[in-house]
């Protein structure tokens, strides 16, 4: 079974550039989550969707961050403009329904903003 | 608010040693409890789970028992291997989300 697929695996870009991270959830999963992981802050939930609808974006750090889920099989997390403090590993996860169901994580995108 | 607290690492053990990683959770509602493991360069993977009091989750030699009276879900393994070196996260669900602890890094020495 294909798991959660994220692309790219690594991204290095200069500050000020637009960055787009992509995620394909497991087929049939109705919930999708975007996380950020850093040494300082650990794992932070940025935003999650149920049935393609954003439910809680209170973890999105600033207006520079935006996320979309145009259909059940694709989501993007965009940072514009990017800053060095955005450097982190970004994970996408999906689950069959919210709550009481374990989440399945992708392998992450390691983002470095120079 | 709802939270999960787990012991800080790193934890360093020799191969074949007994492992315990402590975890406690806030007792709001009747959460499901999880342990996730993260190997280097990978995302988190579900290791085991328990959905109600006194349930025991187990996988790959790891075990954890849902203790409602002590609001705990400690992870144990009788004999660790070098391949168990990873970061372990305790977690509970809340509504549609999962609340993760800060993670405990485990190093196993050969």
């Amino acid at each position: 079974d294909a798991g959660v697929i994220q692309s790219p695996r690594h991204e290095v870009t200069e500050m000020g550039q637009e960055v787009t991270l992509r995620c394909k959830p497991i087929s049939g999963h109705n919930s999708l989550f975007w996380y950020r992981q850093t040494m300082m802050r650990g794992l932070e939930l940025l935003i999650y969707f149920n049935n393609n609808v954003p439910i809680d974006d209170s973890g999105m750090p600033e207006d520079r961050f935006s996320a979309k889920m145009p259909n059940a099989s694709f989501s993007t997390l965009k940072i514009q403009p990017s800053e060095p403090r955005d450097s982190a590993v970004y994970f996408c996860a999906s689950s069959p329904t919210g709550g009481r169901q374990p989440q399945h994580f992708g392998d992450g995108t390691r983002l470095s903003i120079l | 608010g709802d939270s999960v607290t787990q012991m800080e690492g790193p934890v360093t053990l020799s191969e074949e040693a007994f492992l315990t990683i402590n975890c406690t959770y806030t007792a709001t509602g009747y959460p499901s409890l999880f342990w996730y493991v993260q190997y280097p360069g990978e995302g988190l993977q579900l290791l085991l789970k328990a959905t109600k009091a006194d349930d025991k989750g187990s996988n790959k030699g790891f075990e954890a028992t849902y203790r409602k009276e002590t609001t705990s879900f400690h992870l144990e393994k009788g004999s660790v291997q070098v391949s168990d070196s990873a970061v372990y996260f305790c977690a509970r669900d809340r509504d549609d989300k999962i609340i993760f602890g800060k993670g405990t890094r485990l190093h196993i020495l050969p």
Side-chain angles (χ1 to χ4, degrees), chain A residues 15-28:
Chain A
M15 67 177 292
Q17 298 297 308
E18 179 180 289
V19 173
T20 300
L21 310 181
R22 296 173 176 80
C23 175
K24 177 179 170 55
I26 293 172
S27 177

Side-chain angles (χ1 to χ4, degrees), chain B residues 64-81:
Chain B
T65 301
Y66 192 141
R67 301 285 188 202
K68 189 175 177 215
E69 64 276 12
T70 55
T71 63
S72 65
F73 192 54
H74 304 322
L75 182 68
E76 297 181 336
K77 185 173 185 181
S79 176
V80 292
Q81 306 299 313

Side-chain angles (χ1 to χ4, degrees), chain A residues 9 33 35 37 39 41 43 45 48 50 55-56 58 91 98-108 110, chain B residues 30-32 34 36 38 41-46 49 51-52 89 93-98 100-102 105:
Chain A
R9 286 299 311 275
F33 306 82
Y35 292 89
Q37 186 177 40
M39 290 293 292
R41 304 171 101 112
L43 192 65
L45 176 64
Y48 77 96
N50 278 350
I55 302 301
D56 183 354
S58 59
F91 288 103
R100 301 209 162 254
Q101 297 287 343
Q103 294 176 11
H104 300 257
F105 281 72
D107 284 336
R110 182 173 295 276
Chain B
Y30 301 93
S32 290
F34 309 91
Y36 281 78
Q38 184 179 27
E42 299 183 11
L44 280 68
Q45 304 174 23
L46 179 67
K49 70 174 183 178
T51 58
K52 61 182 188 296
F89 293 85
D93 68 347
R94 185 189 69 192
D95 300 325
D96 290 343
K97 298 186 284 192
I98 290 181
F100 290 92
K102 293 185 182 300
R105 185 173 298 276

Side-chain angles (χ1 to χ4, degrees), chain A residues 14-79:
Chain A
E14 293 185 347
M15 67 177 292
Q17 298 297 308
E18 179 180 289
V19 173
T20 300
L21 310 181
R22 296 173 176 80
C23 175
K24 177 179 170 55
I26 293 172
S27 177
H29 283 193
N30 298 326
S31 297
L32 183 139
F33 306 82
W34 281 101
Y35 292 89
R36 178 172 68 176
Q37 186 177 40
T38 61
M39 290 293 292
M40 292 296 294
R41 304 171 101 112
L43 192 65
E44 303 173 277
L45 176 64
L46 301 178
I47 185 171
Y48 77 96
F49 297 82
N50 278 350
N51 296 314
N52 312 339
V53 176
I55 302 301
D56 183 354
D57 65 354
S58 59
M60 296 285 262
E62 301 170 33
D63 290 345
R64 298 184 296 106
F65 286 69
S66 62
K68 294 182 179 179
M69 192 164 185
N71 57 62
S73 59
F74 184 66
S75 177
T76 59
L77 177 67
K78 188 172 292 187
I79 308 173

Side-chain angles (χ1 to χ4, degrees), chain B residues 4-104:
Chain B
V4 173
T5 303
Q6 60 183 106
M7 60 189 292
E8 289 192 21
V11 174
T12 302
L13 296 172
S14 297
E15 201 166 25
E16 299 184 1
F18 184 87
L19 168 71
T20 300
I21 300 178
N22 291 336
C23 171
T24 57
Y25 63 93
T26 54
T28 306
Y30 301 93
S32 290
L33 302 175
F34 309 91
W35 276 100
Y36 281 78
V37 58
Q38 184 179 27
Y39 299 104
E42 299 183 11
L44 280 68
Q45 304 174 23
L46 179 67
L47 180 60
L48 53 83
K49 70 174 183 178
T51 58
K52 61 182 188 296
D54 300 323
D55 267 2
K56 177 185 284 188
S58 61
N59 186 25
K60 299 182 181 180
F62 291 89
E63 293 183 340
T65 301
Y66 192 141
R67 301 285 188 202
K68 189 175 177 215
E69 64 276 12
T70 55
T71 63
S72 65
F73 192 54
H74 304 322
L75 182 68
E76 297 181 336
K77 185 173 185 181
S79 176
V80 292
Q81 306 299 313
V82 172
S83 58
D84 294 327
S85 298
V87 181
Y88 292 81
F89 293 85
C90 186
R92 59 156 288 168
D93 68 347
R94 185 189 69 192
D95 300 325
D96 290 343
K97 298 186 284 192
I98 290 181
I99 310 299
F100 290 92
K102 293 185 182 300
T104 302

